[in-house]
């Protein structure tokens, strides 16, 4: 018979000594915030670590890119058993940032704090939701420790809503266009598996998908525009400093465009807290699946070029033009 290993619980402090210095940066990394998001059935994208809220700082500020309104998600971390201080902090951050989702991650939850999360969910309107999660570390033999998130407190109807949301995205319940979009992104994600620098979100039935660019508050995107029969790839700048970042990149516009094999459209959006730099490619009709291979070949190549061109530049952007 095959010999099986045994799971062994690992002390959290063996991996992370300090919450702010060790655990928060670890959780904010793309692969780890993705794991947390999968536990919550969300597509989380980190906007900011240690987000200032008055005299205090929220551990991690995210957006749920799978939500229609992409509201703020505040995450508060604790490597110990929950306490009143952290409960007060997460409520303070939620109020200051007008967040719609609060996620409290801790080693263990006191029953009183679990009850407090339940009570907050009971008295809040449907647009607000509070979660409590316990984090564990496990290993088999000498393997690296693996994290596991367990939901211990959640909105009363969360399971029902998650089930309804999942069923609504099943192909049988989608419009023809949404079904094609979902299939297209699923096929693209398979192709991107061979490109480790291009990590895309979970495929959804929508006209876009996002990919990490290595810095919070911005990302790369791939787009299907069925109205104008074209696809596109973009760099999306979407925080308070978006216009400043855009202006800094535009100073290097000639060099940037020379590095790419396709034309860019530079789109400052002064009425919004966002800017876009996007390249387009024509398509005939999304329903013509025999054209998908060529469309995705262009898209993968364009995304690789965008990543190579912009990843190093966005790391050097400053909040104000010098």
């Amino acid at each position: 018979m095959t010999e099986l290993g045994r799971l062994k619980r690992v002390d959290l402090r063996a991996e992370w000594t300090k919450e702010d210095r060790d655990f928060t940066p670890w959780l904010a990394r793309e692969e780890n915030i993705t794991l947390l998001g999968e536990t919550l059935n969300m597509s989380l994208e980190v906007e900011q670590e240690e987000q200032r809220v008055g005299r205090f700082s929220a551990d991690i500020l995210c957006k749920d890119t799978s939500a229609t309104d992409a509201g703020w998600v505040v995450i508060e971390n604790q490597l110990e058993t929950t306490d009143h201080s952290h409960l007060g902090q997460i409520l303070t951050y939620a109020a200051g940032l007008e967040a719609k989702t609060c996620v409290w991650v801790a080693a263990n939850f006191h029953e009183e704090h679990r009850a407090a999360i339940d009570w907050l969910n009971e008295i809040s309107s449907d647009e607000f939701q509070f979660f409590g999660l316990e984090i564990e570390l496990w290993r088999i033999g000498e393997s690296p420790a693996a994290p596991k998130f367990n939901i211990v407190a959640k909105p009363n109807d969360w399971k029902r809503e998650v089930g309804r949301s999942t069923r609504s995205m099943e192909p049988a319940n989608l419009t023809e266009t949404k079904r094609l979009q979902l299939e297209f992104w699923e096929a693209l994600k398979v192709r991107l598996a061979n490109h480790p620098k291009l990590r895309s979100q979970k495929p959804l039935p929508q006209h876009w998908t996002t990919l990490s660019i290595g810095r919070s508050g911005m990302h790369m995107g791939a787009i299907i525009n069925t109205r104008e029969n074209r696809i596109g790839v973009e760099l999306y700048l979407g925080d308070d400093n978006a216009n400043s970042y855009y202006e800094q990149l535009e100073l290097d516009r000639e060099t940037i465009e020379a590095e790419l094999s396709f034309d860019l459209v530079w789109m400052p959006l002064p009425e919004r807290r966002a800017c876009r730099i996007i390249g387009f490619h024509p398509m005939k009709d999304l329903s013509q699946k025999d054209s998908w291979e060529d469309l995705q070949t262009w898209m993968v190549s364009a995304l690789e070029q965008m990543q190579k061109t912009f990843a190093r530049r966005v790391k050097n952007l400053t909040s104000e033009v010098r």
Side-chain angles (χ1 to χ4, degrees):
M1 295 179 65
T2 303
E3 185 176 349
L4 301 179
R6 289 182 178 272
L7 286 171
K8 180 181 178 181
R9 188 80 173 261
V10 179
D11 180 32
L12 299 181
R13 293 290 183 179
E15 294 292 330
W16 306 297
T17 304
K18 297 285 187 179
E19 291 173 10
D20 56 349
R21 188 183 65 195
D22 302 318
F23 183 65
T24 296
W26 174 87
L27 183 57
R29 284 161 52 184
E30 182 183 4
E31 63 269 25
N32 302 321
I33 205 70
T34 297
L35 176 62
L36 177 62
E38 289 173 352
T39 304
L40 298 170
N41 199 46
M42 299 177 185
S43 293
L44 295 178
E45 180 178 300
V46 174
E47 290 283 331
Q48 184 69 47
E49 295 178 47
E50 299 298 332
Q51 172 66 43
R52 296 295 300 176
V53 183
R55 295 182 293 117
F56 307 98
S57 295
D59 287 338
I60 302 177
L61 181 66
C62 294
K63 279 191 174 179
D64 178 10
T65 59
S66 65
T68 54
D69 58 358
W72 293 120
V73 178
V74 173
I75 301 174
E76 182 67 10
N77 307 319
Q78 208 173 347
L79 287 177
E80 303 291 346
T81 301
T82 54
D83 56 38
H84 289 350
S85 175
H86 283 78
L87 175 59
Q89 286 170 215
I90 198 167
L91 293 177
T92 299
Y93 304 149
L97 297 167
E98 298 184 352
K100 294 187 176 181
T101 301
C102 294
V103 180
W104 189 2
V105 179
N108 296 285
F109 265 76
H110 278 303
E111 187 58 38
E112 294 84 354
H113 295 136
R114 189 197 313 251
I117 296 294
D118 290 339
W119 178 75
L120 287 168
N121 282 314
E122 288 175 7
I123 66 171
S124 302
S125 62
D126 292 342
E127 63 180 321
F128 298 99
Q129 49 188 358
F130 299 84
F131 293 92
L133 290 92
E134 291 180 343
I135 182 169
E136 301 173 346
L137 286 176
W138 296 86
R139 67 160 44 102
I140 301 176
E142 299 302 317
S143 69
K148 183 176 185 295
F149 293 105
N150 301 310
I151 298 177
V152 299
K154 59 186 180 299
N156 293 336
D157 60 352
W158 180 72
K159 281 190 176 179
R160 183 172 66 252
E161 289 299 325
V162 167
R164 183 182 301 130
S165 175
T166 302
R167 288 192 299 273
S168 70
M169 290 193 297
E170 291 176 352
N173 298 319
L174 298 175
T175 64
E176 178 65 12
T177 297
K178 293 296 183 184
R179 184 181 63 79
L180 289 170
Q181 290 169 346
L182 178 59
E183 289 184 22
F184 186 92
W185 297 135
E186 288 174 338
L188 180 67
K189 191 170 183 66
V190 171
R191 297 189 64 165
L192 292 178
N194 297 321
H195 303 269
K197 292 185 178 180
L198 300 177
R199 297 174 60 94
S200 65
Q201 70 175 57
K202 176 182 178 181
L204 295 170
Q206 56 194 24
H207 72 275
W208 79 95
T209 192
T210 62
L211 303 93
S212 172
I213 192 63
R215 182 166 176 174
S216 62
M218 58 188 72
H219 59 255
M220 291 194 302
I223 302 161
I224 303 170
N225 188 330
T226 53
R227 291 184 179 180
E228 300 179 14
N229 283 331
R230 60 183 182 178
I231 58 173
V233 296
E234 70 172 351
L235 175 68
Y236 183 88
L237 310 172
D239 68 9
D240 289 330
N241 300 308
N243 289 314
S244 174
Y245 295 155
Y246 177 90
E247 291 169 2
Q248 293 171 67
L249 290 171
E250 196 172 33
L251 293 174
D252 202 22
R253 179 170 179 169
E254 185 175 345
T255 303
I256 288 172
E257 293 182 339
E259 296 177 6
L260 303 173
S261 64
F262 53 92
D263 295 332
L264 290 178
V265 178
W266 296 69
M267 301 174 62
L269 304 172
E271 73 283 359
R272 295 172 53 189
R273 197 189 63 165
C275 299
R276 302 171 70 190
I277 303 172
I278 185 168
F280 292 108
H281 181 78
M283 73 173 182
K284 295 180 180 179
D285 191 291
L286 189 60
S287 63
Q288 298 181 7
K289 294 186 179 182
D290 57 355
S291 69
W292 284 13
E293 183 174 356
D294 289 340
L295 293 176
Q296 291 178 356
T297 295
W298 179 87
M299 191 170 275
V300 171
S301 174
L303 287 169
E304 286 184 321
Q305 294 178 57
M306 292 281 280
Q307 200 280 335
K308 183 177 180 180
T309 295
F310 285 108
R312 67 181 188 275
R313 288 183 167 91
V314 299
K315 291 180 181 179
N316 296 322
L317 295 174
T318 58
S319 57
E320 293 184 3
V321 178
R322 296 178 179 176

